[in-house]
Each structure stands twice: as structure tokens, then as C-alpha cells.
């Protein structure tokens, strides 16, 4: 619990995976004195109240932001402009407004025009998530040791940027700052194109006539299973991401297609050296990610096995006394 809350009143517009995780983490850290929240549907608002995600569940976006000194918009990227138009006239002077959208150029373009000069708009993207959505999917540790990227406009108030950075650090995140355009290119290759590949490969397997659905499911251990996890991500969120980051995704997809064609050529011509060199390079990238603490080196990728129904195997290689 921090000694003194950094914010008096946090308003969360949207309480799905990201919004509800922020609510839970803010409660745990004490970084805001009170939380107001809302969602589009009455059903989600009711669930948020049952889960006690906020001190107040408001019936509208406009009502939620009343008196808030920090507002975080946690809705699909395609909704951000409409939400900004709704809340703009009701924001308190001096309030910081942010978002969590996975695309930044489009969000900046769609939201900024709705805020008056006395409001500090600092877009952000916590690079943390799961394939689950909705208020039940959130958990307070989601942002711990993950990165949160801030993309403040050039004229942004430095104090507002620092206060928002302090907010994310209190939730356990590391904070970095870059331009919205750069963010969208980087995330296109690290997140958006990988999701597109996962959606494609799972869709292709599903379309195959000579492999039944049950075989695809049964033999999914060989790499396919990890793609299915990614391809289970929320359809609304990801539709919006691809529509909003069209340029970044198409740029990186162009490069990817060229590299894939080169790989296909190496396989066709039996160029094992080219394959080996690439796979050696990619293995080093994986090691780097694990060393930076951004993933687990566990061989089961977070799917612990139940204990084997066997006595421990003899270990002829064990040292004496081990
Ligand atoms: P989610 O679980 O589907 O939750 C979305 C929330 O937004 C729901 O509470 C929804 O309410 C609400 N909402 C939608 N339109 C609204 C509107 N017009 N007014 C008020 N509330 C509205 O989505 P999420 O995964 O938390 O993603 C939210 C944002 O975070 C997206 O922009 C996404 O790009 C970004 N993000 C996601 C991840 C991830 O892995 N999921 C990671 C980083 C960033 P209802 O339930 O009533 O529809």
C-alpha cells in the first residue's frame, strides 16, 4: 500500500480483462483513493458491482468521469473516439486522460480532438494480456514486470506524463516512452503480425478437408497448441487492432512474406545451412526474452503436468549424496 494515494479518483471506462486488472491492482497498491467504473452493457456493470471492482459503478461514461483526476479508457480501440466524445465535456480541469489501446496512432487521432486544453491526454499501452476477456478474467498481477509504453503527444505536460508513469510503476510495470508511430511499427511485428499468423494457421488447419477436427485437437501438442491459445483472443479487440494499425501491419507483413518466401526456397533447394543459421539466430532471441524476465524457461509453457504415476526413475548421473 503506498503511503499517500497519487490520485484522488480513478475512473475506468470498460472493465474487461485490462480495466478490471487495473481496478484490482489499484486496490492492492492504494495508488488511488477511490475508483469509479462503468461498461457498455448493464450485464457487465452488474458483474463489476458483484466483484466489487470499484467504489461506484456509474450508468454512463459521462457520469463515471465526474470529479476524476485520472481517467483510463479500457475499451476496444474502435470505440475510443466515441467514448472520448462522450466524456470530453464532463472532464474535470487538470484531469489526466489515458487509455490502454493496443494501437496508438489511431487512438491519438480519434480521441485528442475531444479534449479541451485544460485536460492532459497521455495515451498508453500496457503490453500485458491473456486470451481471456471480461471482468472475471482480470487479476492484479497482470502488469508486474511487464512494459507499459506511453506515447505522449509532443506538447504533453511533463508532470502529467510523470504522474502516469508513477501510476504504472506502482502497478508493477516498467515504463517506456516513444512516439505513437514508432509504437505501432514495433507492436506490429511483436504482437499484431504474430496474432495474424496464429489466426491464419488455426483457420487453415480448420479448413483442411483431409484432417478432421478431432485429429487437429488430439495432435495439437506439436506447436499448434500454442497458436490456438493466441488465436482464441477476443475477436472484437483484434478486428479493431488490424483495422486501426493497417499501415504498420501491412509493412511488417510485407517483410514477413519476403522472409517466408526465402525460407520456402531454402527448403525447396535443400539449403540446410540457411535453415540452420536462421534457427540458431531465432533461438538466441528466445533466450534473450527469457533472460529479460519476459517469459518462463519452463519446458511446459505454464502448463504444469500432474505428477507421473511412477516411482522416481533411477538417476545414474546423479552425484553422490544428491
Ligand atoms: P474486454 O475484456 O473485451 O473488455 C472491454 C470492456 O470495454 C468491456 O467492459 C466493455 O463493456 C467495455 N466497452 C466496450 N465498448 C464500450 C463503450 N462504448 N463504452 C463503455 N465501455 C465499453 O477487452 P480488454 O482485453 O480488456 O481490452 C481493452 C483494451 O485493452 C483494448 O483496446 C485492447 O486493445 C487493449 N489491450 C488488450 C490486451 C489483451 O491482451 N486483451 C493487452 C493490452 C491492451 P461490455 O462488456 O458491456 O461490452
Amino acid at each position: 500500500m503506498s503511503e499517500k494515494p497519487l490520485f484522488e479518483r480513478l475512473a475506468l471506462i470498460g472493465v474487461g480483462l485490462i480495466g478490471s486488472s487495473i481496478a484490482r491492482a489499484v486496490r492492492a497498491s492504494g495508488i488511488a483513493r477511490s475508483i469509479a467504473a462503468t461498461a457498455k452493457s448493464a450485464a457487465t456493470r452488474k458483474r463489476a458491482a458483484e466483484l466489487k471492482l470499484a467504489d461506484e459503478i456509474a450508468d454512463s461514461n459521462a457520469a463515471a468521469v465526474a470529479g476524476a483526476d485520472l481517467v483510463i479508457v479500457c475499451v476496444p480501440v474502435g470505440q475510443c473516439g466515441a467514448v472520448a466524445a462522450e466524456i470530453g465535456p464532463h472532464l474535470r480541469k487538470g484531469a489526466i486522460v489515458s487509455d490502454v489501446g493496443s494501437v496508438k496512432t489511431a487512438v491519438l487521432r480519434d480521441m485528442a480532438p475531444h479534449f479541451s486544453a485544460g485536460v492532459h491526454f497521455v495515451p498508453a499501452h500496457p503490453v500485458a494480456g491473456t486470451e481471456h476477456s471480461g471482468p472475471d478474467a482480470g487479476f492484479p498481477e497482470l502488469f508486474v514486470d511487464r512494459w507499459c509504453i506511453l506515447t505522449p503527444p509532443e506538447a504533453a505536460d511533463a508532470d502529467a506524463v510523470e504522474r502516469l508513469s508513477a501510476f504504472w510503476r506502482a502497478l508493477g510495470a516498467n515504463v517506456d516512452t516513444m512516439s505513437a508511430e514508432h509504437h505501432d511499427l514495433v507492436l506490429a511485428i511483436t504482437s499484431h503480425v504474430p496474432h495474424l499468423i496464429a489466426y491464419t494457421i488455426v483457420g487453415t488447419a480448420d479448413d483442411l478437408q483431409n484432417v478432421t477436427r478431432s485429429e487437429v485437437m488430439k495432435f495439437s501438442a506439436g506447436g499448434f497448441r500454442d497458436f490456438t491459445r493466441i488465436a482464441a483472443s477476443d475477436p472484437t479487440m483484434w478486428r479493431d487492432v488490424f483495422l486501426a494499425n493497417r499501415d504498420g501491419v501491412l509493412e511488417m507483413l510485407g517483410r514477413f512474406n519476403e522472409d517466408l518466401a526465402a525460407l520456402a526456397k531454402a527448403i525447396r533447394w535443400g539449403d540446410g545451412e540457411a535453415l540452420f543459421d536462421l534457427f540458431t539466430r531465432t533461438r538466441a532471441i528466445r533466450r534473450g526474452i527469457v533472460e529479460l524476465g519476459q517469459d518462463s524457461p519452463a519446458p511446459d509453457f505454464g502448463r504444469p503436468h500432474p505428477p507421473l504415476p511412477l516411482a522416481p526413475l533411477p538417476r545414474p548421473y546423479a552425484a553422490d549424496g544428491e
Side-chain angles (χ1 to χ4, degrees):
M1 186 101 176
S2 57
E3 282 176 7
K4 183 177 179 297
L6 188 61
F7 292 96
E8 286 299 314
R9 191 165 178 81
L10 165 67
L12 292 169
I13 312 292
V15 281
L17 170 70
I18 302 296
S20 76
S21 293
I22 294 175
R24 290 171 168 105
V26 165
R27 282 247 189 272
S29 69
I31 190 99
R33 201 178 294 280
S34 70
I35 307 174
T38 191
K40 191 169 166 186
S41 67
T44 300
R45 294 197 294 268
K46 180 167 174 280
R47 187 64 189 141
E50 286 164 2
L51 292 168
K52 298 189 172 38
L53 291 177
D55 302 286
E56 184 196 330
I57 302 293
D59 283 344
S60 70
N61 296 336
V65 303
D69 50 353
L70 176 62
V71 176
I72 306 186
V73 176
C74 308
V75 305
V77 167
Q79 294 286 313
C80 283
V83 168
E86 284 177 61
I87 63 175
H90 304 277
L91 293 165
R92 170 176 146 175
K93 195 166 183 305
I96 297 174
V97 181
S98 189
D99 76 306
V100 294
S102 308
V103 178
K104 299 275 53 102
T105 314
V107 163
L108 192 60
R109 178 198 65 208
D110 295 348
M111 292 183 77
H114 300 288
F115 304 136
S116 64
V119 165
H120 306 298
F121 180 41
V122 185
H125 176 204
V127 187
T130 74
E131 68 277 28
H132 303 296
S133 24
D136 287 278
F139 53 98
E141 305 84 7
L142 178 63
F143 310 109
V144 174
D145 283 339
R146 297 285 169 249
W147 284 93
C148 183
I149 302 173
L150 307 190
T151 62
E154 269 179 24
D157 179 75
D159 184 52
V161 176
E162 181 41 44
R163 291 185 74 206
L164 189 66
S165 302
F167 174 86
W168 280 106
R169 284 196 297 268
L171 268 47
N174 306 308
V175 176
D176 204 352
T177 303
M178 61 182 71
S179 73
E181 294 76 15
H182 189 69
H183 167 278
D184 287 356
L185 262 190
V186 172
L187 269 290
I189 194 63
T190 58
S191 170
H192 306 169
V193 169
H195 273 80
L196 199 68
I197 293 167
Y199 282 124
T200 314
I201 207 160
V202 176
T204 304
D206 192 43
D207 288 345
L208 286 176
Q209 295 297 314
N210 57 348
V211 180
T212 66
R213 253 172 181 276
S214 63
E215 279 173 315
V216 168
M217 306 237 180
K218 185 169 156 192
F219 300 120
S220 71
F224 184 73
R225 185 170 56 179
D226 292 321
F227 280 115
T228 62
R229 187 186 65 73
I230 298 175
S233 301
D234 188 66
T236 305
M237 169 187 154
W238 283 97
R239 176 202 61 197
D240 285 7
V241 166
F242 291 117
L243 296 179
N245 194 18
R246 187 182 59 180
D247 293 350
V249 168
L250 290 180
E251 164 67 23
M252 290 304 168
L253 206 52
R255 291 173 187 232
F256 174 79
N257 279 332
E258 285 170 19
D259 291 345
L260 193 63
L263 218 50
K265 193 172 166 195
I267 293 169
R268 186 180 305 284
W269 291 96
D271 187 352
E273 205 178 323
L275 298 177
F276 189 84
D277 286 351
L278 175 68
F279 301 163
T280 305
R281 208 151 46 90
T282 55
R283 178 180 250 196
I285 290 177
R286 169 71 195 167
R287 286 198 182 125
I289 289 171
V290 170
E291 276 164 25
L292 285 170
Q294 294 299 301
D295 205 353
S296 152
D300 53 17
F301 290 98
R303 289 180 293 264
H305 298 290
L308 290 171
L310 295 168
L313 296 171
R315 296 173 64 205
Y317 48 84
D320 281 350
E322 220 186 292

